[in-house]
Amino acid sequence: MKLSRRGFVKFSAGSAAGLGLSQLSLKVLSDITVPMTEMITPPKGPESFSNTFCQLCPGGCGVKVRKIGSRVVRVQGNPNNPVNRTGLCPIGVSAPQYLYHPERLRFPMKREGQSWTRISWEQGLQEISSQLGTLMERRESGRVLALSHPLTGTMKSITEDLMRALGSNNLVELSGPSDGLDLAVRLMQGVDERPAYDLSESQYILSIGCEVLEGWNSPVWSMRGFSGLRGRRPRGRLTYAGPRESVTASKSDSWIRLRPGSEAAFALGIAYVLISERLYDFDFVATRCFGFEDWRTEGGELVSGFRRTVLERYPLNRASELTGVSPEVILRVAREFGSMRPALALAPPIDSVTPNSILGALCIHSLNALVGSIDRKGGVLLQYPDPLEARDEFVDREVPDVLADFKERVHIGEDPLQTLELALQNQESGPPPALLLLETDPLFDAYDSEALRSGLEQIPLVVSLSSFLNNTSQLANYILPTSTFLESWVEQSAPYGVPFSYQGLAEPALEPIGETRSCGDILLSLEQVLGLPVAGEDYGSLVRGRMIELYNLRRGAVAGTVFDQLWHQLMEESGWWAPTYESSDELVEQMMNRGGWWDSFYSYEDWSRCLRTPSGKFQFNVEELAALQDPASP
C-alpha cells in the first residue's frame, strides 16, 4: 500500500490522538521498546580488524573483518589479497548473517526417534568412536564412506589419516562437474595441473557454453578478469555461444544461440574457417603440435590428421546444420577469433546429460592451440601447484572403492555426486556401514534427491559435521556443530583458475559461538578417542606448522598491495629475492597480519612444464577425438 503525504499527516494525527486517549505515557512506550532496541544494537567496545578467508564458496576470497567489541559488524575484501583485492561477492558480504543466524547449531545433538536430544561432546565422541571401533573389530570399517567439499592442506591430511586408520579409501569430495578444459588439458597436454585463464590480458574471449560471469571458478577473480578485458584500450571483446540468454550472454558483445549439445560442432566450424583461410598460428602448430597433419603409425598405416578431418567432414554448411547457426555468423566469429589475438576459447563443465560434452571440450581446446594461446599471455595457462604439495608428474588419481565400478566416469571428470548416486543404487554388498558428512549437503545438490535419500536412509550410522540442520544432516544419527570460518583457523590455497601459487593463513576472528568446534578439531578429537596416533594437539598448531615450511622455499613474498606486487615481480624477474621476514616465525606472523604468502611470478612458454605428452607436444590425436572420423558424429 502506498501512503500519500496527506494520508501520512492523517495517520500521524490519528496516532497521536489515539495515544492521548489511551493514557499511555511516552515513558511507558519507551520502556516497551527497550528490549527491541537492545536486540539490534551491537555491544559497545573498541573497534578492531582481522583478516581471514571466505569459505562460503570455492573462490576463497580474502576478507577483512571489522568488529565492535566481540561482535562482527562487517566484512569486506582484503586489499592485500591478490585474488579479489577489495572485491567481494554478495555471498561473502553476508558472512555476518551466516555467523549469527538464529538457526545455527550450537551444541551436539543425537537423534532419538523423530526428535533431537542435546548431548555433551564427550558423550557424542564416545558413542561414535565406539560404533566405529566395533566396525574395525569386525573388519567392516573399510567400507566407511566420507563425503566432503573439496579438501586441501592440513584438513585433507587429517581426513585422510582418519580414513586410512579405518582402512577405508572411500573419501569422496563433492566438487561438482569438472571444468571442460580441465579434462582437455590433461588429455591434450599430458599435465595434471589445473588450467588457469588469463582473461584480463586476452583480446578476444569466445565462451562456448561457459558461464564466465555466473559463479565460474573463483567468481570475484573472474569478474576482475572481465573488468580488465573491458577496461583496456582497445576494448576486448566477449562472444558467448550457448542455448540460453544467461547473465554472461547478456553482458557479451554478441550472443549466438546454439542448439543444445552442439558445442563440438560449433568449435569445429570455427576450426574449419581458421584452417581454410590460414588464420591459425603456423609456427606454434608446426613446432609444438602433433596430429595436425596426417601421419603414419609404426605399422605404416596412414592416419588422417586434424586438418584433413575438419576440412573434409565439417565445412560451414555441415556445422550450420548441426548447430542451427548460420554460416555467415560462424564465419564472422572465426575471423574475429583468428585475427584478434591473444584469443581464448572457454568450454562448459563436463555434463553427463549431454553425450558430446567431452568431445566439445576437446574441440574447444583445439581452438586455443590453433591460435597459439597455450601458456602465453591472454591464453590458457597452468596453475602452479601448491608449493607444499607439489607434484611434478601426471598422477593417476586413486578411485574410492565405492566408485570402483564407475572408474571411467571419475577419470573423465563427471560430477562425483551423480556418480555416487549411481554407486549407492548398485551396491551389491549393501549400503556402507557408516557415513561421515563433513560440512556438505549432498541432498541439496542431488540430481535425484529421492533416490539418494533412499540410499542414505539405509546406512546404519550417519554422523554430520555441520553448522545447520540441512537436508542431509536431518537423516543423521549424530550432529556435531562446526564453527564458521570466522571462528576457526583457516588455510587457503590458490582457487581454481588462478595461475600463481598462493597460501593463506588466518587465525580465528572471534571466539566460537556456543559449543561449536572447527571441523579439523572435531576429527582430531575423534582420532584421539579412537586411540589413533594424532599428528598434533589441535588444528591451529598443525596449520601454523605447515606454513613454516614456506620459509624453506626461499622464494615468493608476503601478500601486499598492487605496488608491492609489481615491485616483487620486477625483483624476481631480475633474479633478486628480498623477503620482508628473517625467520619462519616472522613469516607466519606477517601472513596472519596481511593475509598470506604468494609467488606472483609466471614463466610463460615453459614447454617442458605445460606439454608433457609422450611426443612432448600438444596432441590433436587423442583417442576421444577419434569420434570425429565417424560421419554420424556431430
Side-chain angles (χ1 to χ4, degrees), residues 196-259:
Y197 311 98
D198 202 358
L199 302 179
S200 61
E201 293 294 332
S202 183
Q203 184 64 27
Y204 190 93
I205 296 178
L206 175 58
S207 173
I208 306 180
C210 179
E211 306 299 347
V212 181
L213 304 179
E214 296 178 54
W216 176 66
N217 293 335
S218 176
V220 180
W221 174 261
S222 300
M223 292 288 185
R224 288 184 60 209
F226 179 70
S227 177
L229 175 82
R230 291 301 203 202
R232 190 177 58 253
R233 293 292 181 270
R235 184 173 181 265
R237 288 181 57 85
L238 170 64
T239 296
Y240 176 81
R244 67 184 183 93
E245 189 175 5
S246 60
V247 173
T248 303
S250 65
K251 298 294 183 181
S252 64
D253 296 283
S254 176
W255 170 41
I256 301 167
R257 189 190 296 272
L258 279 186
R259 184 172 294 138

Side-chain angles (χ1 to χ4, degrees), residues 538-554:
D538 58 78
Y539 181 61
S541 64
L542 290 177
V543 171
R544 286 180 60 102
R546 182 172 180 268
M547 295 303 162
I548 290 175
E549 299 176 23
L550 288 173
Y551 178 76
N552 299 324
L553 295 178
R554 311 290 293 177

Side-chain angles (χ1 to χ4, degrees), residues 64-339:
K64 189 174 184 179
V65 183
R66 177 174 178 253
K67 294 191 299 179
I68 301 296
S70 61
R71 185 179 181 87
V72 174
V73 296
R74 184 186 182 189
V75 298
Q76 60 191 88
N78 181 356
N80 292 325
N81 189 282
V83 175
N84 62 301
R85 293 300 177 189
T86 57
L88 207 58
C89 75
I91 295 178
V93 172
S94 67
Q97 300 179 39
Y98 181 78
L99 172 67
Y100 296 117
H101 197 288
E103 295 185 8
R104 263 197 70 189
L105 301 176
R106 299 169 186 261
F107 46 79
M109 296 191 299
K110 176 183 178 181
R111 175 185 293 279
E112 293 186 353
Q114 298 300 317
S115 61
W116 294 95
T117 302
R118 176 176 178 174
I119 60 175
S120 65
W121 276 101
E122 290 73 17
Q123 178 184 348
L125 292 173
Q126 285 289 347
E127 292 183 4
I128 294 170
S129 63
S130 176
Q131 295 185 54
L132 291 177
T134 301
L135 292 176
M136 294 174 70
E137 293 175 359
R138 296 176 179 174
R139 298 191 176 182
E140 298 177 3
S141 59
R143 298 179 57 241
V144 171
L145 173 64
L147 304 181
S148 75
H149 55 83
L151 301 174
T152 58
T154 305
M155 188 63 204
K156 188 177 184 70
S157 299
I158 294 174
T159 307
E160 289 179 340
D161 288 344
L162 175 60
M163 297 300 289
R164 192 178 300 111
L166 294 173
S168 172
N169 78 326
N170 291 320
L171 172 60
V172 180
E173 300 178 43
L174 304 179
S175 56
S178 283
D179 184 352
L181 290 191
D182 190 357
L183 174 66
V185 165
R186 286 163 50 193
L187 293 174
M188 306 180 91
Q189 296 180 224
V191 297
D192 198 37
E193 290 84 355
R194 299 183 298 186
Y197 311 98
D198 202 358
L199 302 179
S200 61
E201 293 294 332
S202 183
Q203 184 64 27
Y204 190 93
I205 296 178
L206 175 58
S207 173
I208 306 180
C210 179
E211 306 299 347
V212 181
L213 304 179
E214 296 178 54
W216 176 66
N217 293 335
S218 176
V220 180
W221 174 261
S222 300
M223 292 288 185
R224 288 184 60 209
F226 179 70
S227 177
L229 175 82
R230 291 301 203 202
R232 190 177 58 253
R233 293 292 181 270
R235 184 173 181 265
R237 288 181 57 85
L238 170 64
T239 296
Y240 176 81
R244 67 184 183 93
E245 189 175 5
S246 60
V247 173
T248 303
S250 65
K251 298 294 183 181
S252 64
D253 296 283
S254 176
W255 170 41
I256 301 167
R257 189 190 296 272
L258 279 186
R259 184 172 294 138
S262 63
E263 291 83 2
F266 182 76
L268 292 172
I270 300 292
Y272 175 87
V273 177
L274 294 177
I275 296 172
S276 61
E277 296 194 356
R278 302 175 67 81
L279 296 176
Y280 62 93
D281 188 324
F282 291 91
D283 181 66
F284 181 83
V285 171
T287 60
R288 301 297 175 187
C289 297
F290 178 78
F292 182 73
E293 303 289 354
D294 298 349
W295 79 95
R296 292 188 179 276
T297 64
E298 294 181 357
E301 180 182 359
L302 181 65
V303 180
S304 295
F306 185 78
R307 176 210 285 269
R308 180 187 296 274
T309 301
V310 171
L311 293 180
E312 290 182 354
R313 301 190 182 278
Y314 298 93
L316 284 180
N317 59 345
R318 169 69 169 162
S320 177
E321 176 187 350
L322 292 170
T323 62
V325 181
S326 67
E328 293 77 14
V329 172
I330 298 176
L331 181 64
R332 172 180 61 82
V333 174
R335 287 173 175 173
E336 292 174 350
F337 186 76
S339 59

Side-chain angles (χ1 to χ4, degrees), residues 3-19:
L3 192 63
S4 65
R5 180 178 180 275
R6 179 176 296 180
F8 176 75
V9 173
K10 288 181 178 179
F11 177 78
S12 301
S15 300
L19 182 61

